[in-house]
Amino acid sequence: MIADPERGRMLMLRDTQGVAPSHAALPAGLVPIVARFTGEQTCAEIARAVSRESGEEVPTELVVEVAEELEAALFVDGPRYRAARARIEREFADAAVRPASHAGGAYHADPVKLATYIDKQCLERAQPRERPRGRLKGLVAPHIDPWRGAACYGHAYEALRGALTEDVDTFILLGTSHAPMRSPFALCRKAFDTPLGPIEADVEAIDTLAAACDFEPYADQFNHKREHSLEFQAVFLRHLLGSRRAKIVPVLAGLGAHQVRGTDPSGDPSVERFLDALRGVVTSRRAIVIAGADLAHVGPRFGDAQPLDDRERRALDERDRQSLEHAARVDARRFWADVAADLETRRVCGLAPVYSLLRVLDDGARGDVCHYEQTVDPEEGSIVSHAAVAFHD
């Protein structure tokens, strides 16, 4: 739900997989109609049901009009949507490079402006810290847009910049998939483009991971097309690396079945095979593992009746930091259990990538929480929290 200055509360529909060419904004009064677009009722039946519920006559013609407009915009499942999706999936599968999908929106498309923004608004905002001894092995960075997450990105990538030795040549990128996944993990065998230049994919490492899977590792490759959780990491990496050559291994972590059931993924042989293979890739290369992961999503935008008050925000701070303590100790099992306990209300979308990062780090690694922040929507008070955590051996 968003606030429009002219039309009031609106329902914003977004296609996270990039089939629909744009968003769709609907007046809040149409929500009872659209909520019934499940394929189980005709337009006439929907009109009668909404009329009974609201006490006001809803003409069938209105329901038909809304359905046709959403179908034309590719927000209704059917022949038109499926044909468009099939075409776009083929184009993405055939492409050697994943385009910078969010350039010009979530961050500058102009390379000079982008580099200046990262330097001045992100990296320079990081407070000087005593650097832990040992080699940097992993990093948790936000995946909120860089406009709102500038300070947190700055702390995360300043920690990386200070520890980026010449022998590091591979970055394992673990990201949240904001679109549903059929498999627990999704690989992408493509370079990632950025306004600052592309980052090459480590196809040898990716093929090694794919060979170890007993599930289809490319079943959800299309989710990579519009997924920002990895794209934003690629942008910051490319800036820090400059002309230096390095490769990435892009992985979307879903673990959706375990999140729904609240079960520990360590009991799943398919998950264990993949994480074992990923651990092997990390140890066989001079690699750093980066999880693009936000924390809580609370407030009206995410389904809560009211925004959090000051007391509730302090409580959220304490809950998030409790989860981060488990992560800093590299205690994957306790991190999973702690976040899963209130996943439906705190809505931590970074559970799967952070858990996966913790599982592939060395036993001797320990984390340092460099930054924690709650980003508050200035209009309706919804909050997305995020953190920067650096792991050293």
Side-chain angles (χ1 to χ4, degrees):
M1 299 302 296
I2 61 171
D4 184 278
E6 296 181 358
R7 295 178 291 177
R9 278 175 68 79
M10 303 283 289
L11 174 66
M12 175 73 79
L13 301 180
R14 296 185 299 160
D15 175 11
T16 55
Q17 294 181 309
V19 178
S22 61
H23 301 332
L26 304 173
L30 294 181
V31 170
I33 294 176
V34 176
R36 289 175 165 84
F37 285 2
T38 63
E40 298 171 344
Q41 295 178 296
T42 66
C43 289
E45 289 170 338
I46 291 173
R48 288 195 294 270
V50 177
S51 296
R52 288 193 301 270
E53 181 181 271
S54 66
E56 297 182 5
E57 183 67 23
V58 175
T60 300
E61 292 76 16
L62 174 61
V63 180
V64 171
E65 180 182 354
V66 174
E68 289 179 343
E69 289 184 1
L70 288 179
E71 183 180 35
L74 301 180
F75 279 96
V76 171
D77 187 22
R80 183 180 298 185
Y81 170 80
R82 292 176 188 177
R85 182 187 176 100
R87 174 180 56 80
I88 294 171
E89 281 191 349
R90 286 195 303 271
E91 292 172 353
F92 184 69
D94 293 342
V97 178
R98 177 204 179 274
S101 299
H102 299 280
Y107 57 88
H108 290 293
D110 179 270
V112 175
K113 290 181 178 179
L114 176 58
T116 300
Y117 182 83
I118 292 175
D119 283 334
K120 300 297 183 182
Q121 300 301 321
C122 301
L123 296 174
E124 289 187 7
R125 293 175 67 177
Q127 299 298 318
R129 300 173 60 88
E130 181 180 351
R131 301 194 186 281
R133 296 180 181 181
R135 182 185 182 95
L136 183 72
K137 305 294 289 185
L139 185 71
V140 172
H143 64 229
I144 193 172
D145 63 87
W147 305 128
R148 294 181 293 168
C152 200
Y153 278 106
H155 282 83
Y157 282 94
E158 179 59 29
L160 177 60
R161 180 166 67 170
L164 194 55
T165 56
E166 289 295 326
D167 62 341
V168 175
D169 59 7
T170 306
F171 297 89
I172 312 297
L173 302 186
L174 297 167
T176 298
S177 177
H178 290 85
M181 288 176 55
R182 290 163 286 181
S183 297
F185 298 95
L187 299 177
C188 183
R189 205 173 180 273
K190 304 177 188 297
F192 272 48
D193 198 12
T194 81
L196 304 170
I199 299 186
E200 185 180 352
D202 188 335
V203 294
E204 180 183 351
I206 295 167
D207 289 347
T208 298
L209 291 173
C213 294
D214 59 3
F215 55 85
E216 173 47 59
Y218 298 106
D220 303 298
Q221 178 179 241
F222 187 60
N223 287 22
H224 281 271
K225 179 180 183 293
R226 287 282 300 170
E227 181 51 62
H228 60 275
S229 62
L230 297 185
E231 177 176 333
F232 295 165
Q233 315 314 319
V235 168
F236 278 85
L237 267 180
R238 183 72 278 167
H239 178 68
L240 289 190
L241 292 168
S243 60
R244 175 175 161 180
R245 187 174 181 182
K247 297 180 180 181
I248 59 172
V249 178
V251 182
L252 290 179
L255 301 179
H258 294 284
Q259 294 194 48
V260 170
R261 295 195 299 262
T263 54
D264 189 329
S266 64
D268 186 332
S270 296
V271 172
E272 290 302 287
R273 282 174 61 91
F274 183 87
L275 293 178
D276 284 345
L278 185 57
R279 193 176 301 110
V281 168
V282 172
T283 56
S284 66
R285 285 164 168 74
R286 296 177 291 276
I288 293 176
V289 186
I290 301 176
D294 288 339
L295 296 174
H297 295 65
V298 294
R301 176 163 296 187
F302 307 109
D304 295 324
Q306 300 292 333
L308 272 60
D309 59 25
D310 289 344
R311 180 187 60 80
E312 291 167 326
R313 284 191 60 184
R314 289 193 296 271
L316 176 63
D317 183 298
E318 293 176 1
R319 278 294 293 122
D320 283 345
R321 291 184 186 276
Q322 178 179 315
S323 298
L324 291 171
E325 285 179 10
H326 296 308
R329 295 192 190 105
V330 195
D331 192 334
R333 178 165 293 185
R334 287 195 176 183
F335 175 78
W336 180 277
D338 186 67
V339 175
D342 58 4
L343 190 58
E344 291 188 0
T345 54
R346 196 162 38 128
R347 308 180 190 92
V348 174
C349 74
L351 173 56
V354 175
Y355 171 84
S356 302
L357 177 147
L358 299 177
R359 289 293 311 280
V360 301
L361 291 179
D362 295 337
D363 292 339
R366 288 296 178 267
D368 175 37
V369 180
C370 307
H371 185 76
Y372 169 80
E373 184 176 347
Q374 295 179 1
T375 300
V376 184
D377 188 295
E379 294 182 350
E380 42 83 5
S382 291
I383 293 173
V384 176
S385 60
H386 39 89
V389 187
F391 296 86
H392 297 77
D393 59 16

